[in-house]
Amino acid sequence: MAAPAPVTRQVSGAAALVPAPSGPDSGQPLAAAVAELPVLDARGQRVPFGALFRERRAVVVFVRHFLCYICKEYVEDLAKIPRSFLQEANVTLIVIGQSSYHHIEPFCKLTGYSHEIYVDPEREIYKRLGMKRGEEIASSGQSPHIKSNLLSGSLQSLWRAVTGPLFDFQGDPAQQGGTLILGNNIHFIHRDRNRLDHKPINSVLQLVGVQHVNFTNRPSVIHV
């Protein structure tokens, strides 16, 4: 069955944000120099980063690289967010990677992800937003989104690298990602300290008024 095509751009009206945690960057406008930097869509077309959320709210997830099994499994769960949930809250979901744009469609096919996705091959936006390079040794707890262990996940990543049409790491393996809520300002920002330090998806969705998503594949229990 054909994979869902990645979405590139769809602009809608803005709405008020649910209050998000404060931080040194929250409430500040995104610097014009960052907003003007380009990202590439699946066809290699350049889009100014700031145009993605100029007229709407967006949850923007920067991933490490497309061969990272942790990123793959996290994006597999992002793919489970119903589009209707996002539309009800007037929110869009955007994933940013740092590979060549040629890797976008295979990654979407692999993960089932059909929301918006772009790449920043030179990592300029990663750098300007202060995303970390290298890993801090810090306990990040058990992620609800990661199913593979280190050995099996690493073997899967290696197999994908050697069997893919282009033998590369699909990004800088030392680069870490992060999560932002963007609109007229930076409403929330989390910079991952290491590969397991991503934000639980439902905690981010709650901040923008998107209803809870069941990622377990088990039916929800209704208490009466």
Side-chain angles (χ1 to χ4, degrees), residues 45-191:
Q45 296 184 343
R46 295 159 66 95
V47 181
F49 178 55
L52 304 181
F53 44 84
R54 184 173 295 140
E55 299 177 21
R56 56 185 178 165
R57 301 181 294 168
V59 173
V60 184
V61 178
F62 287 78
V63 299
R64 294 180 64 242
H65 57 90
F66 286 165
L67 274 183
C68 170
Y69 75 92
I70 292 171
C71 300
K72 167 187 170 289
E73 295 182 5
Y74 189 80
V75 173
E76 284 175 338
D77 274 2
L78 289 175
K80 296 174 183 176
I81 301 172
R83 193 174 301 277
S84 61
F85 284 19
L86 298 170
Q87 291 172 340
E88 287 170 6
N90 198 20
V91 172
T92 191
L93 174 64
I94 301 169
V95 165
I96 305 286
Q98 40 131 349
S99 72
S100 162
Y101 73 88
H102 297 95
H103 291 298
I104 291 178
E105 287 192 2
F107 185 69
C108 290
K109 182 178 180 180
L110 179 70
T111 59
Y113 181 84
S114 62
H115 301 288
E116 296 193 35
I117 182 167
Y118 303 87
V119 291
D120 172 24
E122 304 301 321
R123 298 187 296 115
E124 285 300 323
I125 300 172
Y126 284 78
K127 296 172 188 175
R128 298 289 188 94
L129 291 176
M131 301 296 177
K132 298 182 182 297
R133 190 171 182 278
E135 296 201 58
E136 290 184 21
I137 300 175
S139 175
S140 300
Q142 181 67 36
S143 170
H145 306 293
I146 308 307
K147 296 84 181 173
S148 302
N149 60 38
L150 177 60
L151 177 59
S152 66
S154 299
L155 289 174
Q156 291 171 35
S157 296
L158 180 60
W159 177 253
R160 286 169 51 210
V162 300
T163 57
L166 299 172
F167 181 59
D168 63 38
F169 285 103
Q170 302 184 24
D172 181 350
Q175 179 66 57
Q176 304 303 316
T179 301
L180 296 91
I181 297 172
L182 296 169
N184 295 328
N185 293 318
I186 301 173
H187 297 279
F188 172 82
I189 183 167
H190 170 82
R191 299 177 179 91

Side-chain angles (χ1 to χ4, degrees), residues 203-216:
S203 70
V204 178
L205 296 181
Q206 183 180 25
L207 297 177
V208 289
V210 175
Q211 61 182 289
H212 186 276
V213 178
N214 179 12
F215 295 110
T216 65

